[in-house]
Amino acid sequence: MSMNPFDLQAPIAGIKKIILVGSGKGGVGKSTVAANLALAMKQSGQKVGLLDADIHGPSIPRMFGALYQKPSFVKSETGKARMQPLVRHGLFLMSIGFIVEESQAVIWRGPMLFKALDQFLHDVDWGELDYLVVDLPPGTGDVALTMAQRVPVAGAVIVCTPQNLALVDARKAVDMFQQVHVPILGVIENMSYLTLPGTNGSPSQRVQLFPRGELNSFLDQSKIPKLGEIAFDPHIGLSSEAGIPIVASEPDGAISQQFSDIAENVIRATTTE
Ligand code: ADP
């Protein structure tokens, strides 16, 4: 009898729900969204961990001002050394970037990659978490497939920008998650529009930085919800560069409100009454 790869699936003790954050391609703001979404979920009272599994460019260490940090190991009662996540703004963080140099992780392939992912899931002292948010590499590669096969995933969130050029790739991500039976919670449209400084931000004063394409009609047809829109805002980039994501640095700002609404949508979509 041939073995089904999903037979290897095992829950992680202490972690209630795993959310994957993916994108069709790089540069759409997936890591930025993953980090700020995790923070917004934390602010709404959940216990949240953020796992940076983006082997092509782990950006969580930089975004949280934790470059060159090394996780410590603590021996458990069984004598096994377990990695301690870093804690920033009440969020539990682990990144491939804490283990290897920023430029090194990309060479991970096959068994090495699987072993590393297994360690991140099972040898990290995550404690009790309501949610583990996983920042996947862009595209439809091994990491997403491995996650889907190894652990029960509550759902995937796909980050996309408004234009049709980006939609082509987002659809591939949708297909991939459907093929591995990961429920798609919805799409977050990032860099939806630009609000000019000095204007009141009303829709008529917005600048369409990227042309709006057929994303909305694709989502309607596929019955995939849009979880929310995030404006293009230079403060988002500045905050990330400074090592404090915008939801932590400007918690009362308009962008944080957008993330907070999305966090509520994600929590609702993964909660069965
Ligand atoms: P990805 O993970 O998809 O490759 P990143 O999250 O690294 O993308 O974002 C790419 C760049 O775009 C970063 O410099 C980030 O600060 C910036 N960025 C992401 N989203 C926004 C936004 N809504 N407004 C302004 N800059 C953004």
Side-chain angles (χ1 to χ4, degrees), residues 22-23 25-34 36 54 57 59 63 135-138 159 161 189-194 209 230-241 255 258-259:
S23 67
K25 62 173 173 185
V28 297
K30 171 187 49 61
S31 298
T32 307
V33 169
N36 285 294
D54 187 348
S59 37
M63 287 181 58
D135 182 13
L136 294 176
V159 182
T161 49
E189 187 183 271
N190 189 30
M191 311 196 205
S192 284
Y193 52 83
L194 170 75
L209 210 52
I230 306 289
F232 184 96
D233 186 333
H235 285 215
I236 294 181
L238 283 172
S239 306
S240 295
E241 298 282 319
I255 296 289
Q258 293 175 341
F259 276 110

Side-chain angles (χ1 to χ4, degrees), residues 3-11 118 122 146 148-152:
M3 206 175 84
N4 179 339
F6 293 91
D7 291 347
L8 294 171
Q9 234 184 37
D118 251 19
H122 297 286
T146 305
Q149 288 172 357
R150 292 296 173 99
V151 289

Side-chain angles (χ1 to χ4, degrees), residues 160-172 213-215 218:
C160 184
T161 49
Q163 71 276 41
N164 282 336
L165 267 174
L167 176 58
V168 175
D169 295 295
R171 292 174 83 131
K172 289 184 195 152
E214 271 102 60
L215 175 64
F218 164 70

